[in-house]
Amino acid sequence: MSANPQSSVVEPAGTSPEAQSLLGSGVEQGVFEHARSYLRRLRGGEMGALPAIGGLLVLFIIFGAAHSAFLTPRNMANLLTQAAPLVVLGMALVFVLLLGEIDLSAGVTFGVAMAVFVKYTQPDGLSWPVGLALAMGIGFAVGATIGFFVAKIGVPSFVVTLGLFLGLQGVILIIIGAGGTYRLIPEPIKAIQNSNMPVWAGWAMLAGLVGLLVLVAVWDRWRRARSGAPNPAVSIMLLKLGTIAILGAGFVAFMSLDRGRAAQAIMGVPIVVPVVLIIGLIGTFVLDRTKFGRYIYAIGGNREAARRSGVNVTAVKWAAFVVCSSLAVLAGLLYVSRVGSADASTGREIVLSGVAAAVVGGVSLFGGRGRLMHAAVGAFVIATIENGLGLLGFSAGATLAVSGGVLILAATVDALARRRSGGSTNA
């Protein structure tokens, strides 16, 4: 699959407008044709998440050989919970990176939102649903503010979000107080990162996911056939769905093994997994199958061409920053669920890791190329580096150095791939 299913603007002659709106299905007629088309895209510089996936496999092999505990069910469950906030934050940032913009304030935005949430959901305060609604409102307001200055006024997003990165840290200090810490109280929020689903629920989740993907694939084929657009071979669809089902079954079976150290058994898929999956599926649907998503790719690919074709560039940019900040709040919710508290430093450092996750996964810093899945893969690369080096006893400084090197390598690959495909490397 191409790194950017929305990037092509050339459609087969004679297809209906409905056919032109069908995304991510391809027009190859068989497995070998599909493979040859994929290799052509790779040679053309459209590598997508392939380098990150290859890097992730190499990291698993290296850390698995270096430490016996790395590939255990217990550590893999810990890796999932460790990566979850970064995965969601990386997916949030994809919405603005695809526009060729950036949001340096996403981390401290969720820091402010979580400071309010944790402080005001203490036993004598608000109920957690009301507190969460208030936190999401903060994310919406910050995103709308950024969107106003960037899309309406024309201030560079780097400047606006850097200013908010500094200013919102002061807001957190005002809410929490210097050196203050508020403990997370609501048990349902704690459970997201600290509890597991029953074993049967993990298998039910997998069955539901595969069933949903089958329905989407069949619906796509039906719509393409009805509108006269060519369909890929059924074998392609079955191969993709079969791969997902087999990998998913292996994952659920692995997570169903007992990973407890004492008399109490611990097994099952962590609750955070379906939470992140739902966020990812909704976000992917928005980017791949709505006009809003297509407009984001169009603006990131060529802003002036998108404007001339009738796209309301200002509104789309504004909305993208709102989506980014709102999703960042959800990342913050997963973060405080894992650490169990909020303090004045919450969210201060993670935003740069979120940008790194998206770039390492294959999202272009120059806009127009990338998907939410790519940011998720990049987040797992960074989380795996931190987890593996931590098990091996390396210092935090070594972890940061390695992560920085990986980011520079990923950005270099992105620039070279863009040059090879004929795109400009000017931001």
Side-chain angles (χ1 to χ4, degrees):
M1 182 176 289
S2 168
N4 176 12
Q6 287 80 2
S7 62
S8 176
V9 295
V10 179
E11 296 293 337
T15 56
S16 69
E18 182 180 6
Q20 297 177 19
S21 70
L22 301 175
L23 307 176
S25 296
V27 295
E28 294 80 19
Q29 295 303 308
V31 175
F32 293 109
E33 291 83 358
H34 187 85
R36 282 196 291 268
S37 176
Y38 180 69
L39 289 175
R40 283 195 299 271
R41 292 196 296 269
L42 287 180
R43 288 194 293 268
E46 297 184 26
M47 291 182 289
L50 185 61
I53 293 173
L56 189 61
L57 291 175
V58 171
L59 288 172
F60 267 62
I61 293 171
I62 292 174
F63 289 138
H67 200 290
S68 60
F70 180 76
L71 291 176
T72 61
R74 183 182 182 87
N75 189 58
M76 288 298 102
N78 180 59
L79 178 59
L80 289 170
T81 58
Q82 182 179 350
L86 188 57
V87 169
V88 176
L89 185 62
M91 292 192 295
L93 289 164
V94 168
F95 282 86
V96 295
L97 291 175
L98 287 175
L99 293 169
E101 305 286 353
I102 196 167
D103 185 356
L104 298 176
S105 66
V108 289
T109 295
F110 88 52
V112 171
M114 288 302 101
V116 170
F117 175 78
V118 175
K119 179 176 181 178
Y120 292 104
T121 54
Q122 297 297 304
D124 58 345
L126 303 172
S127 64
W128 73 262
V130 175
L132 181 57
L134 181 59
M136 293 300 296
I138 292 171
F140 183 95
V142 173
T145 301
I146 298 171
F148 172 78
F149 283 103
V150 174
K152 194 72 174 177
I153 306 300
V155 183
S157 57
F158 180 87
V159 176
V160 175
T161 58
L162 179 59
L164 284 172
F165 173 78
L166 298 173
L168 291 177
Q169 292 182 56
V171 175
I172 299 175
L173 282 172
I174 293 172
I175 296 171
I176 296 277
T181 300
Y182 281 86
R183 190 163 58 90
L184 179 67
I185 299 298
E187 291 298 330
I189 305 301
K190 287 183 181 179
I192 296 175
Q193 285 275 54
N194 297 286
S195 298
N196 307 297
M197 298 190 295
V199 171
W200 66 265
W203 292 106
M205 175 193 70
L206 176 62
L209 175 63
V210 173
L212 176 63
L213 295 178
V214 169
L215 288 176
V216 170
V218 171
W219 182 53
D220 268 352
R221 295 184 65 84
W222 175 76
R223 291 182 66 201
R224 295 184 69 88
R226 188 182 67 171
S227 61
N231 261 313
V234 175
S235 56
I236 298 294
M237 179 186 76
L238 295 178
L239 180 63
K240 291 179 179 179
L241 293 173
T243 301
I244 292 173
I246 292 172
L247 293 177
F251 167 76
V252 174
F254 189 67
M255 287 293 99
S256 298
L257 298 175
D258 184 10
R259 50 185 184 270
R261 287 180 173 174
Q264 182 180 5
I266 301 176
M267 59 184 67
V269 176
I271 291 175
V272 73
V273 172
V275 173
V276 173
L277 272 178
I278 291 171
I279 295 172
L281 288 172
I282 294 174
T284 299
F285 176 84
V286 170
L287 282 178
D288 286 4
R289 297 173 180 275
T290 66
K291 287 184 178 180
F292 174 64
R294 292 199 296 276
Y295 291 164
I296 286 179
Y297 280 103
I299 295 169
N302 190 322
R303 181 184 183 278
E304 183 60 23
R307 186 190 66 80
R308 289 176 179 273
S309 64
V311 176
N312 188 336
V313 175
T314 299
V316 172
K317 279 193 172 184
W318 207 328
F321 279 103
V322 169
V323 171
C324 176
S325 294
S326 299
L327 281 178
V329 173
L330 295 181
L333 193 70
L334 300 183
Y335 178 85
V336 297
S337 174
R338 183 169 187 267
V339 302
S341 63
D343 57 35
S345 66
T346 299
R348 183 184 301 168
E349 299 176 357
I350 194 174
V351 64
L352 297 180
S353 296
V355 175
V359 175
V360 168
V363 179
S364 176
L365 280 171
F366 306 106
R369 292 170 55 175
R371 307 188 69 198
L372 291 191
M373 180 196 73
H374 298 167
V377 175
F380 271 105
V381 170
I382 293 175
T384 300
I385 292 172
E386 295 177 353
N387 182 281
L389 292 181
L391 283 176
L392 294 175
F394 283 81
S395 66
T399 301
L400 289 172
V402 173
S403 299
V406 170
L407 174 59
I408 293 172
L409 177 62
T412 302
V413 171
D414 174 40
L416 293 175
R418 191 172 182 87
R419 179 178 300 175
R420 187 169 185 176
S421 63
S424 171
T425 57
N426 293 324

